[in-house]
Amino acid sequence: LACAASVMNTLAEMGSDMAINEFISWYESPENSIKRASLNAMARSGNPAAYPVLSKAARAVKYRWETTGAAGSFLTYARAAAGKGDRNSMMKVCRTLIRNCNDRDNIQFKTGALSTLVDNLGAGSMSYILEALGSNDKSYRNAALMFINKVDDSRVTDDLMAFYNKAKPEARPEIIRALGNRKDVRAAELVESALSDIDSNVRVEAAEALVKLVKEPDDAVKPLLGYLVKWQNIMDQAAAGSALKSVLSGRNTAMLIPALESSGNPGKRTIIDLLAWKSDPAYFGNVFDYVNSSDDQVKSASIKALVNLSSWNDQQKLIGLLEQTVNPSHTGDLQTALGNA
């Protein structure tokens, strides 16, 4: 019997179906090692005669992993059948696994079935992907989003946008991320609107996605600044600041100044940090206006930013501010700024 397992494993590696009847017969062995080798050989053969045996074996173990590997062999058969042009059998197996594998003991077979459908159907698998995006299982949803990247078809963007408003709230940030990753400019309007969503997770993903979708960097600056001014919490400020760094240039940095003036204190800190990051002395005066802010964090951010913004013309202002400063941290920053001026 050990020899039989070895022979079947060798034939399985070859994808041979020359001994399909023997494979089926050996499955009746009482030894698990022989059953496992038989199921594997049947699966890799892709022979239609193997389907009912593999289907029954997988169903008997409730499509869960166990020592004979019945469920895994059933999935392997789907891939082998597709490789031989038997798309109908492949789809039948995959639909069965997707329907029946719904817990942590067998979700891997559900995910594998979805991957097989995507590999073989391309954009034709979108109905299965959208169904997956409605799953309560985050790992399965994330797998679906990963598989979407395999499909190079503009219809995917259309389907994702159409599905977005129907999706579970927890799936919407994931869909926004997927739209950004596809870099299809047709999704820019939907993603921009998501900057105003009540869910901060959606907004944060939208900020990152928008910069991947605009035709020109300038097109993202205004909506991102509107987002920064409107939403003052830490997550939104971090997302807005990060996204703006990818689109700011010497040409559009001036757009920060009206937002600096109209924003709340968290937004002012973010914009001051961005101006410091750009290191353009032209904005020294705009930042210097906030060195006496009643908000300690705005004040500290402003003084620290002067290190990157000061020039020779600013020395007198820096000396005057240094003379009235008692905070050791601020003193150190101002001394550094003077050294850079």
Side-chain angles (χ1 to χ4, degrees), residues 247-279:
V247 291
L248 283 175
S249 65
R251 184 178 65 249
N252 58 34
T253 300
M255 296 173 68
L256 295 175
I257 304 308
L260 174 62
E261 296 167 354
S262 63
S263 181
N265 287 328
K268 289 186 190 307
R269 293 197 301 271
T270 301
I271 294 172
I272 288 169
D273 287 344
L274 287 169
L275 290 169
W277 173 74
K278 289 300 295 179
S279 301

Side-chain angles (χ1 to χ4, degrees), residues 231-243:
W231 304 97
Q232 297 283 297
N233 67 70
I234 293 174
M235 282 180 58
D236 287 306
Q237 289 299 308
S242 176

Side-chain angles (χ1 to χ4, degrees), residues 163-233:
F163 182 72
Y164 177 74
N165 287 326
K166 307 172 191 173
K168 294 175 181 292
E170 58 268 30
R172 290 182 182 178
E174 300 158 1
I175 295 171
I176 292 293
R177 187 188 319 136
L179 287 168
N181 289 338
R182 295 197 69 77
K183 299 180 181 180
D184 188 332
V185 296
R186 293 176 303 143
E189 184 177 351
L190 185 153
V191 171
E192 182 178 332
S193 70
L195 291 171
S196 298
D197 197 277
I198 60 172
D199 184 343
S200 62
N201 293 314
V202 171
R203 299 194 301 267
V204 167
E205 291 291 348
E208 182 178 346
L210 183 61
V211 299
K212 301 175 183 178
L213 297 172
V214 291
K215 293 179 179 178
E216 298 291 337
D218 287 10
D219 296 338
V221 176
K222 184 175 180 180
L224 285 171
L225 286 173
Y227 163 56
L228 181 152
V229 170
K230 182 175 181 179
W231 304 97
Q232 297 283 297
N233 67 70

Side-chain angles (χ1 to χ4, degrees), residues 60-78:
V61 298
K62 298 182 179 178
Y63 305 98
R64 286 174 165 78
W65 182 91
E66 39 64 61
T67 55
T68 69
S73 290
F74 196 36
L75 177 58
T76 298
Y77 175 79

Side-chain angles (χ1 to χ4, degrees), residues 12 15-17 20 23 40-48 50 77 80-81 84:
S16 172
D17 65 353
I20 185 63
F23 297 161
N40 182 48
M42 282 189 277
R44 290 174 176 263
S45 76
N47 190 298
Y77 175 79
K84 292 193 170 185

